[in-house]
Amino acid sequence: MTSHSSHAQKFDVRMRGFASRSTVKQTLEWIDHSLPSLQSESVPLEAAAGRVLAQSVVSEVNVPGFSRGMMDGFAVRAEDTLGATPYSQIALEVIGQSLPGEAFEGQVLPGQAVRIMTGAPIPTGADAVLQAEYVEIRSSKIVTQTAVAPRKHVGQPGEDIAAGATVLTAPRTLRPQDIGVLSSIGVAAVEAVQMPRVHVVTTGSELLPAGSKPQGYNITDANSPMLLSLIRRDGGLATHAGIIPDDPQQILKALMADVDIVVVSGGSSVGQEDHVPMLLAEHGELNIHGVAMRPSSPIGMGRLGKRLVFLLPGNPVSCLCGYDFFVGRAVRLLGGLGRDWPYRKRSYRLQRKLISMVGRVDYARVLLVDGEIEPIATSGASVLSSTTRADGFVVVPEDSEGYAEGSQVDVFLYD
Ligand code: AMP
Ligand code: MG
């Protein structure tokens, strides 16, 4: 035996089975500890909605930046209107107008008023707005029957946003209205968490490209389009290597992509054509191989250079489950999002018992029927249609034998 082949054999786990499996908990801990620190980048406002703020934003300006009228009417000196009643009306002389963006440049002296529109600057000397509907216009004068208090209908500088105030706190996923606020305080770009670059490597010599008709002994790739959608949902920048045959050289090349996370579909187990675990062990680190869960137990993960690499089983149900449990968490965390699933959790009554084996976590797909749930009876992980028939899933913990008929269980809903 040459030294090279004995070296390769050291990493060869094929056909030996899994010596021991990691628990789901250990695996999640490995992910959390293996994630690199978040990177940020400057993102222009027009592309910032949906991005995660990396740095809180403090306003440098007051909004509004000047005293402004909050009603259409007349800017007056409040004291001039003191004592106005229907029996003792007060007349003021209108000396000009203030429009939004076009201030009245003069000064309002006692006995004077300036016509003002909502949003227009309050002229010097005035300190209140008399609403248009409360005054009578008589040629160049207005007559009021009511008094106004100082500051009435006057927006004060900084009343909306004060200079120095924290307007948005990191980490926050920016909403469209946040973008509006940022723009109004003169911010044109924000520091956002970099979206993780996630590369999908789909392996399997039997696979036909996504969307093509299955033919002969070939099957059509279901996992790539599913994984790409899941990654985008979780805030990742998804790319695809295309379909790679079960050939170590070609797979290794695809793994070397310049990305943060590589997700491999297929060939993750210990079969003769399952090259990926060995490749990872040889050229990087295979830190986890085999997890005590179902489906998706022949899953693996490790590092290759700076990349995190996830090896998902090719079986589409296992692939989805493995993504949901592990890859999605890594993508979300690396993008500054929470580790929580993007699924709503609700409690439902079980219509039939749900059996699970002690010693592994079960991802049990369930159907909603008349406001209750029933487990989807599938023999093994291979039923592709079960993923679309299911309304959600129940996670049965390792130490549980499942749940009796009639018990209340938490369901994660796909919609
Ligand atoms: P593997 O994990 O490569 O052993 O594949 C397990 C099973 O899933 C096999 O029946 C494969 O043909 C099937 N499979 C592998 N990759 C895909 C894929 N991308 N889409 C659909 N089925 C797949
Ligand atoms: Mg395969």
Side-chain angles (χ1 to χ4, degrees):
M1 196 179 286
T2 68
S3 74
H4 174 77
S5 69
S6 76
H7 171 74
Q9 213 164 42
K10 196 172 101 200
F11 300 109
D12 195 350
V13 290
R14 289 175 299 171
M15 307 314 273
R16 284 197 223 142
F18 288 97
S20 70
R21 291 176 209 272
S22 306
T23 64
V24 168
K25 186 164 172 275
Q26 287 166 338
T27 310
L28 294 174
E29 279 166 9
W30 179 83
I31 293 172
D32 291 354
H33 287 126
S34 304
L35 288 169
S37 55
L38 303 187
Q39 303 292 311
S40 73
E41 63 187 352
S42 173
V43 176
L45 275 201
E46 59 269 24
R51 297 292 300 269
V52 178
L53 258 193
Q55 248 172 44
S56 298
V57 178
V58 173
S59 179
E60 289 179 2
V61 298
N62 278 319
V63 179
F66 51 90
S67 297
R68 67 181 173 194
M70 304 298 279
M71 284 285 177
D72 290 340
F74 295 86
V76 298
R77 304 164 71 96
E79 59 182 18
D80 285 0
T81 68
L82 253 177
T85 67
Y87 309 105
S88 161
Q89 305 184 352
I90 291 173
L92 298 170
E93 195 196 345
V94 180
I95 56 164
Q97 61 178 4
S98 178
L99 302 175
E102 274 177 63
F104 175 78
E105 298 297 354
Q107 199 179 345
V108 178
L109 299 172
Q112 295 181 334
V114 162
R115 181 191 297 276
I116 191 166
M117 309 265 290
T118 304
I122 298 286
T124 320
D127 61 357
V129 173
L130 251 178
Q131 264 174 276
E133 39 277 53
Y134 294 148
V135 304
E136 206 180 297
I137 299 168
R138 290 193 199 146
S139 65
S140 68
K141 290 196 174 207
I142 51 164
V143 176
T144 179
Q145 304 186 350
T146 46
V148 279
R151 305 181 88 166
K152 186 79 176 168
H153 303 315
V154 174
Q156 301 299 325
E159 192 176 75
D160 192 351
I161 297 167
T166 300
V167 179
L168 295 168
T169 307
R172 172 189 176 97
T173 303
L174 292 171
R175 304 169 177 162
Q177 55 267 48
D178 297 340
I179 307 298
V181 168
L182 289 166
S183 173
S184 70
I185 60 170
V187 170
V190 287
E191 267 313 284
V193 178
Q194 270 182 16
M195 295 167 75
R197 298 163 303 163
V198 188
H199 196 52
V200 175
V201 177
T202 310
T203 71
S205 299
E206 74 278 32
L207 297 176
L208 297 172
S212 53
K213 285 251 156 55
Q215 261 176 22
Y217 295 121
N218 293 111
I219 63 165
T220 302
D221 170 23
N223 294 342
S224 321
M226 178 179 72
L227 288 170
L228 293 166
S229 314
L230 287 164
I231 292 161
R232 291 187 186 118
R233 177 198 70 185
D234 288 329
L237 278 175
T239 51
H240 188 208
I243 292 169
I244 314 289
D246 295 308
D247 168 65
Q249 255 22 66
Q250 292 186 56
I251 295 171
L252 182 62
K253 200 170 149 230
L255 294 184
M256 295 296 193
D258 179 23
V259 293
D260 305 301
I261 296 176
V262 178
V263 185
V264 185
S265 152
S268 69
S269 189
V270 290
Q272 192 55 54
E273 287 303 301
D274 294 338
H275 305 289
V276 209
M278 191 174 76
L279 283 172
L280 193 56
E282 196 177 347
H283 298 273
E285 290 170 37
L286 178 65
N287 300 100
I288 305 257
H289 196 207
V291 176
M293 64 190 290
R294 214 179 96 144
S296 206
S297 85
I299 197 172
M301 54 202 81
R303 291 192 189 81
L304 182 63
K306 285 188 174 155
R307 310 163 193 84
L308 280 189
V309 183
F310 290 88
L311 314 182
L312 301 183
N315 179 304
V317 179
S318 305
C319 187
L320 172 65
C321 169
Y323 181 91
D324 265 346
F325 262 91
F326 306 115
V327 187
R329 180 189 185 97
V331 174
R332 288 190 298 274
L333 285 175
L334 194 52
L337 299 170
R339 55 170 58 77
D340 290 342
W341 267 325
Y343 304 122
R344 262 184 316 132
K345 187 168 85 171
R346 272 188 65 183
S347 172
Y348 287 94
R349 184 180 174 277
L350 258 181
Q351 250 176 30
R352 278 191 284 118
K353 71 174 175 210
L354 199 170
I355 305 164
S356 173
M357 233 172 77
V358 171
R360 68 174 192 218
V361 171
D362 259 307
Y363 177 89
R365 276 95 59 218
V366 295
L367 274 176
L368 276 177
V369 183
D370 303 330
E372 301 188 336
I373 52 158
E374 60 178 46
I376 291 187
T378 51
S379 43
S382 58
V383 185
L384 178 54
S385 63
S386 80
T387 54
T388 49
R389 276 200 297 130
D391 294 302
F393 59 92
V394 172
V395 177
V396 188
E398 215 174 31
D399 55 7
S400 166
E401 290 184 302
Y403 304 108
E405 180 188 324
S407 36
Q408 284 290 130
V409 294
D410 282 336
V411 180
F412 294 93
L413 297 166
Y414 286 126
D415 289 327

